[in-house]
Amino acid sequence: MVEPGSPTSAPVDTLASERDEQLMALALEQARLAQDAGEVPVGAVVADAEGYVVGTGYNRTITDSDPTAHAEIVALRDAAERLGNYRLPGLSLYVTLEPCVMCMGAMLHARLSRVVFGATDPKTGACGSVLDVGAVEKLNHHTAIHGGVMAEPCGDILRGFFHERRQAAIQRRKEITE
């Protein structure tokens, strides 16, 4: 890493932006694992301020028959187990899709310092799309939220997945009616 203030160093926001993109790329790798498993392709990673990954996860609701096995929850559980603590202060969670209310609640309870997401979720998003859980002032912990990091590739994997599902359903209907 380049020392801040050196002639070749990038501005701090550029470094943070690059780190966010690198970590979101890792979350996308997790999303691909979900897709390979037949799950909705959402992936998440938990990392410290230097970018070291301490937890990973992808959607496992079907695989585990568990409605709580969203990518964020799986990644939080992995990080908490590795670190031996259910509190994860100073850590950030990167997820390919805007978190739902359940996941935002878990992230607030974990005391994450930051949540970074890719694509917005106009149906269940709890970071501003449907609800804005992080903006509720009465909550005892607040987490910084940053959305839209690599939104296009994060959205593309989801659109592709659901397009394939719709095409398969159309094909099944055709086969039934023929």
Side-chain angles (χ1 to χ4, degrees), residues 103-158:
C103 292
M104 277 304 300
M107 290 185 269
L108 291 172
H109 282 291
R111 305 295 194 260
L112 290 176
S113 64
R114 196 162 172 249
V115 174
V116 180
F117 68 89
T120 58
D121 186 348
K123 294 183 179 184
T124 64
C127 295
S129 290
V130 176
L131 297 171
D132 195 352
V133 174
V136 177
E137 289 183 24
K138 288 186 175 185
L139 293 172
N140 68 333
H141 177 74
H142 292 89
T143 298
I145 298 170
H146 181 64
V149 174
M150 295 180 61
E152 194 165 326
C154 289
D156 286 347
I157 192 171
L158 287 159

Side-chain angles (χ1 to χ4, degrees), residues 20-21 24 27 45 92-97 99 107 114-118 143-149:
D20 284 353
E21 287 187 11
M24 190 61 73
V45 298
S92 297
L93 185 139
Y94 294 79
V95 61
T96 57
L97 181 64
M107 290 185 269
R114 196 162 172 249
V115 174
V116 180
F117 68 89
T143 298
I145 298 170
H146 181 64
V149 174

Side-chain angles (χ1 to χ4, degrees), residues 10 35 53 90 115 137 160 170:
Q35 185 171 27
V53 174
V115 174
E137 289 183 24
I170 290 168

